[in-house]
Amino acid sequence: MEAPPVTMMPVTGGTINMMEYLLQGSVLDHSLESLIHRLRGLCDNMEPETFLDHEMVFLLKGQQASPFVLRARRSMDRAGAPWHLRYLGQPEMGDKNRHALVRNCVDIATSENLTDFLMEMGFRMDHEFVARGHLFRKGIMKIVVYKIFRILTPGNTDNTEALSLSYLVELSVVAPAGQDVVSDDMRNFAEQLKPLVHLEKIDPKRLM
Amino acid sequence: MRPFLLEGGSVSQMPVAEGKNVQQTVELLTRKLEMLGAEKQGTFCVDCETYHTAASTLGSQGQAGKLMYVMHNSEYPLSCFALFENGPCLVADTNFDVLMVKLKGFFQSAKASKIETRGTRYQYCDFLVKVGTVTMGPSARGISVEVEYGPCVVASDCWSLLLEFLQSFLGSHTPGAPTVFGNRHDAVYSPADTMVQYMELFNKIRKQQQVPVAGIR
């Protein structure tokens, strides 16, 4: 067997300063089929992909005004897939020339003892939900169409109830900071989905 | 699969030979390995950074500041290991290092606590041996010896074999079974088990030097 490549350099790293560009919208349940149909036509030719995820949102409270938020996601329909830990920074609306909401993001694949580890770090679970939907890709753009389910008894993902009569639609790109050009491609793509769905740059502060 | 590993040795188990320094003792060990017929196969590095809960968060949580260790191993170059003493070991990708930067306000790296071991990898048939010099800052603090037996994934099934092999070049300094095997004899060995052993070894070496545990100021 070949020896694995080894290095004297200490291994530290990761991708610094990645940004998520995001556009959001929603469709009523009865319009789902036509939207999926349109996406199948516009997106990369891939096998239709669906997902069923359980997401838990954890908070770490310090003396700072706002707690530190982390999202832990696991696939419920793909056994053995790594857990996904996500940090999202403060969303920036930016000016009119940028067509998408931008926020700093760190995506980490982890082992399945993630929740235990976060608790050990001092994080506490704030809320959880189940997301079920479809995933599409076009180049580096990712399009997810999914429904959010409320978990009726904490921790029991079998006992859920749909939160609304609609599906959330998100168009996102993760790119290094400063690549605002990607938001142009996103807008162009969003234009092609009209009038089935209107994807917009939604300021989360407006909803609070 | 090649995850079997035993790692023992430290200043006490592998004492610096009389009249020799750490480097000379490492040379003595590696010469013994070469005489056995082991072949050099590159180098390795394991590092460990200590983080403590930032003082600002202590009051609100009402718990003593625990130490968290973030480690890397050149054998698993795309992974990052985060551990608590006697707690869970999280295996993540290296973006976890970026997250620690974001968490600066909550977890701070203890000053001058970075400890690492570097050395040469040796292959001897199905055994992989890594002899490293443990350093903290500029000073050499001890010697780490790691032995991995490739064909077996259950620690208890090959412990006596490992012991025998270790005796062939460590002699009377051969360590006892690592505590990580203590209560789960049939468990499949994983890279996290290796990292737990390195964390314990590093902590032991830190304490032996009468240096207060990093993070407690």
Side-chain angles (χ1 to χ4, degrees), chain A residues 68-125:
Chain A
F68 193 91
V69 185
L70 281 178
R71 297 167 174 276
R73 217 179 230 251
R74 69 177 177 101
S75 173
M76 291 166 63
D77 58 355
R78 246 161 273 211
W83 282 54
H84 180 187
L85 177 62
R86 187 155 223 231
Y87 162 81
L88 291 169
Q90 281 304 316
E92 299 162 29
M93 285 300 279
D95 54 25
K96 270 189 199 154
N97 297 322
R98 192 166 64 201
H99 307 292
L101 181 91
V102 181
R103 54 192 182 182
N104 196 237
C105 79
V106 183
D107 290 301
I108 308 159
T110 80
S111 49
E112 58 189 21
N113 55 354
L114 179 60
T115 49
D116 287 346
F117 193 82
L118 289 173
M119 301 291 250
E120 197 76 23
M121 283 178 84
F123 281 87
R124 291 294 169 261
M125 191 173 81

Side-chain angles (χ1 to χ4, degrees), chain B residues 84-183:
Chain B
F84 283 95
E85 224 164 335
N86 304 318
C89 170
L90 184 78
V91 186
D93 64 35
T94 47
N95 277 350
F96 194 84
D97 291 317
V98 182
L99 181 67
M100 288 316 292
V101 177
K102 303 278 176 206
L103 275 165
K104 235 180 350 204
F106 296 88
F107 290 89
Q108 286 164 358
S109 76
K111 264 186 203 147
S113 68
K114 179 139 182 176
I115 186 165
E116 61 178 21
T117 179
R118 288 165 179 273
T120 315
R121 290 165 94 243
Y122 284 92
Q123 176 104 42
Y124 177 66
C125 305
D126 284 335
F127 294 98
L128 185 63
V129 186
K130 295 178 209 163
V131 179
T133 307
V134 182
T135 52
M136 234 181 117
S139 56
R141 292 296 187 89
I143 300 160
S144 71
V145 179
E146 175 187 325
V147 176
E148 180 175 320
Y149 178 63
C152 184
V153 293
V154 178
S156 53
D157 287 354
C158 61
W159 170 244
S160 11
L161 186 66
L162 272 172
L163 202 61
E164 202 175 310
F165 175 67
L166 276 162
Q167 276 161 354
S168 70
F169 72 99
L170 286 182
S172 57
H173 305 304
T174 308
T179 47
V180 71
F181 305 150
N183 37 22

